[in-house]
Amino acid sequence: MKIYCVGGAIRDELLGLPVKDRDWVVVGASPEMLLAEGYKPVGKDFPVFLHPRTHEEYALARTERKTAPGYAGFVFHTDPAVTLEEDLARRDLTINAIARDTDGVLVDPYGGQRDLAARVFRHVSPAFAEDPVRILRLARFAARFADFTVAPETLALMREMVAAGEVDALVPERVWQELARGLMEARPSRMIAVLRDCGALDRLLPEVSRLFGVPQPAAHHPEVDTGVHLLLVLDAAAAAGLPLAGRFACLLHDLGKTTSPAHNLPHHYGHEAASERLAVEVCARLKCPADCRDLALMVAREHGIVHRALELRPLTIVRLIERCDGLRRPERFVAMLDACACDHRGRAGLGERPYPQRDHLLAALAAVRGVDAGAIARGLADKARIPEAVHEARVAALKALG
């Protein structure tokens, strides 16, 4: 029995990055042998065990065979005779197919170190095409390792997979899982760009894909292309450290621009309502969490009026805060403002311009929340007028700000 550390831990060590989790492969062993050593079984589809002391995952070396479309259509085979090279051959990318034995010796049969040095994502074998999740994983890696490029032969294989319908077999939960992880990387725009290059964006997020090539007024958007603007907004959200809900809202905020009549272009009058409608469809299809859905819909619907905050009357601002439930959910209202600020920054050459709208609306929110609705209610004989009186007091509080 021989044990090897494999995969991402070795990759990140060689790149000089911190290692969070270590995965291990055991060669020349059987489940009974590991159980006898005190390992705890956890694998459902194939034998995976937890180390009795470290609780890290140890998997028996295995091979696999494709039996049905999609990412779940595999039969796995484990046997003490399966070699390390055979196990590594089933992995997705060469940079993830490097192992280290207990003496510190690297085993790299597929050129992973070469591709790390060249900053290239390259598939290990044609078996890459059997699992469509690997397209999403590679795109996610592109968001994390932004200076890596996709090998031409790997990109060609990904395009073949899309054309063969493999991506269509992905379940929403798995798509969301990988998309969410990619959005939380340092350069989420790279994930979208890779998915677009291979054609997967058309299948997974056609509403986003259609943004590319749609023009915007150059005076406000020097990048002109709405899709390019989206990429800039996503990276601005990452640079600002927005949480997942904020980054997802940035992804969906402008979908309605794809519905603008041709005779109005490059203008997009009233695109916010269409953005919200399309965002509803995307969220339902991806089965995304409620907090991500709710913020995405709010940002899609309201970002236009937020951008005009300095021109708004107090009455309009109060209605905005009330409509967004800012009094009960102030943290979500602030999250909306943060996403809108990233929308503002996501413009070629204009990203450093100040965004006073955020502070203006934060001050308004504080003033409105400072209105004592209980005191107003207690002072009114006509209880039916309470909502109207509270609303009027909130507007007055904003007028007092000047």
Side-chain angles (χ1 to χ4, degrees):
M1 183 171 72
K2 292 201 67 174
I3 297 175
Y4 299 85
C5 186
V6 296
I10 305 303
R11 176 200 67 220
D12 290 349
E13 282 182 2
L14 293 175
L15 289 172
L17 299 173
V19 174
K20 296 180 181 179
D21 300 303
R22 297 182 188 275
D23 293 316
W24 305 83
V25 164
V26 184
V27 177
S30 66
E32 293 74 19
M33 293 171 66
L34 290 183
L35 290 171
E37 296 285 337
Y39 288 78
K40 305 296 183 183
V42 294
K44 295 180 180 179
D45 299 321
F46 45 84
V48 177
F49 299 82
L50 296 182
H51 192 281
R53 292 186 303 278
T54 67
H55 304 293
E56 292 177 324
E57 289 192 355
Y58 285 66
L60 292 179
R62 65 185 186 269
T63 59
E64 63 189 24
R65 178 170 55 87
K66 181 79 165 175
T67 58
Y71 75 97
F74 291 91
V75 170
F76 298 94
H77 171 69
T78 61
D79 186 277
V82 175
T83 67
L84 175 65
E85 288 73 16
E86 288 175 322
D87 182 273
L88 295 176
R90 67 173 181 79
R91 296 177 182 269
D92 51 3
L93 303 173
T94 60
I95 62 171
N96 296 329
I98 309 170
R100 174 180 283 134
D101 67 17
T102 53
D103 294 324
V105 177
L106 290 177
V107 181
D108 182 17
Y110 304 107
Q113 294 175 89
R114 173 202 63 210
D115 287 337
L116 280 176
R119 296 297 194 265
V120 170
F121 298 122
R122 191 188 317 276
H123 62 285
V124 175
S125 75
F128 181 98
E130 297 178 351
D131 186 355
V133 170
R134 290 175 168 178
I135 292 178
L136 291 168
R137 278 173 51 83
L138 191 154
R140 172 166 60 82
F141 285 138
R144 181 181 180 190
F145 305 113
D147 59 340
F148 278 61
T149 59
V150 183
E153 63 269 29
T154 301
L155 183 60
L157 183 57
M158 292 163 68
R159 288 171 175 164
E160 292 174 9
M161 294 167 67
V162 173
E166 280 285 341
V167 170
D168 302 327
L170 289 169
V171 298
E173 292 82 0
R174 196 60 193 271
V175 174
W176 170 255
Q177 180 185 46
E178 295 295 331
L179 179 66
R181 294 178 70 181
L183 286 174
M184 292 307 296
E185 298 289 1
R187 287 280 301 281
S189 65
R190 290 270 291 133
M191 173 178 63
I192 300 301
V194 167
L195 291 175
R196 182 169 179 253
D197 284 347
C198 72
L201 194 64
D202 279 334
R203 308 303 304 167
L204 300 172
L205 289 169
E207 301 87 349
V208 173
S209 185
R210 288 194 290 266
L211 288 170
F212 291 88
V214 175
Q216 302 175 109
H220 301 291
H221 287 278
E223 71 283 353
V224 179
D225 190 303
T226 306
V228 174
H229 164 64
L230 171 64
L231 300 182
L232 294 170
V233 172
L234 288 176
D235 287 346
L242 262 59
L244 175 60
R247 300 189 193 201
F248 183 61
C250 286
L251 178 67
L252 304 189
H253 80 285
D254 261 351
L255 298 182
K257 289 183 176 178
T258 62
T259 68
S260 297
H263 65 269
N264 283 340
L265 296 177
H267 301 286
H268 301 277
Y269 305 116
H271 73 279
E272 294 86 357
S275 294
E276 182 184 21
R277 174 177 55 80
L278 291 170
V280 167
E281 296 175 6
V282 172
C283 292
R285 189 171 69 246
L286 293 179
K287 300 181 180 179
C288 66
D291 64 323
C292 292
R293 177 199 63 213
D294 294 346
L295 184 60
L297 300 187
M298 186 182 296
V299 172
R301 182 182 70 244
E302 307 290 357
H303 69 276
I305 196 169
V306 170
H307 291 331
R308 299 192 300 274
L310 303 182
E311 311 161 14
L312 302 179
R313 296 177 300 157
L315 173 61
T316 307
I317 292 178
V318 170
R319 286 174 175 169
L320 170 67
I321 293 171
E322 291 175 341
R323 186 168 63 246
C324 295
D325 203 15
L327 294 161
R328 293 193 310 161
R329 299 286 305 277
E331 74 289 344
R332 190 176 63 184
F333 189 82
V334 174
M336 177 185 70
L337 299 183
D338 290 339
C340 291
C342 293
D343 180 27
H344 170 82
R345 296 189 195 105
R347 300 181 296 162
L350 302 179
E352 298 304 316
R353 288 193 176 185
Y355 191 66
Q357 292 91 328
R358 182 182 185 276
D359 288 341
H360 183 71
L361 289 176
L362 285 178
L365 177 64
V368 169
R369 295 189 75 216
V371 172
D372 190 340
I376 294 172
R378 289 189 296 272
L380 280 176
D382 183 1
K383 300 305 181 184
R385 284 201 68 249
I386 291 175
E388 178 186 354
V390 170
H391 178 79
E392 290 172 351
R394 291 168 179 167
V395 175
L398 288 197
K399 289 180 177 179
L401 285 180

